[in-house]
Amino acid sequence: MASRPKGFGLTAELERKKAEKYSPEMEQDAREWIEAVTGESLGGPGQDAFHEALKDGAILCKLINFLAPGAVKKINSSKMAFKQMENIGNFLSASEAYGVVKQDSFQTVDLYERQNMPQVLAGIHALGRKAQKEGFEGPSLGPKESSANVREFSDEQMQAGKNVIGLQMGTNKIASQAGMTPYGLGRQIEKTNLKN
């Protein structure tokens, strides 16, 4: 991992905000899901242990291979940095091919160099949602992703809808302008309400 100097000013503020986004509950959910799907332990709780367990990318590659068999052809077991980053990259490519939106995923350095662990958690949760949508029969993570609910209307229904005034546009049944003053006119105060 690269040795990075501590930031000051805006950099320190951004790092602090990123650290505040990390959710131990989301980590626990992700940890339990990965362990249930792969059958491998990720070690103890906490951000440090979670990072160390996922840093080489091997467990993530096994995870995506359980969801989509053969998605990652070769899982590197080498302790060399570029091989571990290659595992993470292979996982990210396979999860994108599986259907996870790129914006929901993370970058290799987010995990390997621990630059953005909240985004790593968000990426794992996005994969869990997509797995449910794709019909994975194993354990689930998070709510199921919604699917399109396309509606077809006939021409008659479309024409009938044009005659209905939605309440968002207002109604002429209840409202009136009684009691309103013309624009620009000062507020009218009656002397009967004033105490002498």
Side-chain angles (χ1 to χ4, degrees):
M1 179 154 60
S3 174
R4 297 188 185 271
K6 293 284 182 197
F8 296 96
L10 183 61
T11 305
E13 186 178 337
L14 292 173
E15 288 297 321
R16 190 171 44 255
K17 282 185 178 182
K18 202 183 305 179
E20 289 171 358
K21 284 184 181 179
Y22 193 84
S23 167
E25 293 82 19
M26 281 182 70
E27 176 208 313
Q28 185 63 30
D29 292 343
R31 173 189 304 277
E32 289 171 358
W33 182 66
I34 293 170
E35 288 175 346
V37 172
T38 63
E40 295 190 28
S41 175
L42 297 182
Q47 186 174 352
D48 295 333
F50 191 65
H51 170 254
E52 280 303 314
L54 300 180
K55 181 181 175 183
D56 65 356
I59 289 181
L60 293 175
C61 289
K62 290 175 185 174
L63 174 66
I64 195 71
N65 277 341
F66 273 101
L67 302 176
V72 176
K73 305 284 186 248
K74 182 178 182 237
I75 301 173
N76 297 309
S77 58
S78 173
K79 295 296 177 195
M80 299 181 78
F82 70 93
K83 290 291 189 182
Q84 292 178 347
M85 287 191 283
E86 184 180 359
N87 279 344
I88 298 170
N90 289 341
F91 164 76
L92 293 173
S93 298
S95 64
E96 190 175 342
Y98 190 65
V100 175
V101 181
K102 195 166 193 160
Q103 289 83 357
D104 287 343
S105 195
F106 57 93
Q107 296 179 354
T108 302
V109 294
D110 291 340
L111 174 58
Y112 189 77
E113 294 184 3
R114 199 175 174 179
Q115 290 297 303
N116 196 349
M117 288 301 287
Q119 188 60 39
V120 172
L121 283 176
I124 292 170
H125 277 260
L127 180 62
R129 288 191 307 271
K130 184 56 76 173
Q132 288 181 60
K133 186 174 181 180
E134 296 296 320
F136 179 64
E137 296 296 326
S140 61
L141 176 64
K144 186 177 179 184
E145 234 179 37
S146 62
S147 55
N149 186 5
V150 181
R151 294 171 174 91
E152 298 291 331
F153 295 104
S154 68
D155 288 336
E156 292 173 4
Q157 290 172 318
M158 294 297 285
Q159 291 302 322
K162 290 180 182 177
N163 298 328
V164 175
I165 297 174
L167 290 179
Q168 288 180 329
M169 295 180 222
T171 179
N172 59 0
K173 303 261 189 245
I174 304 166
S176 73
Q177 291 184 330
M180 291 187 68
T181 58
Y183 180 74
L185 185 64
R187 188 169 156 206
Q188 306 297 311
I189 301 174
E190 295 181 22
K191 289 188 177 185
T192 57
N193 293 339
L194 299 176
K195 295 191 179 193
N196 294 340

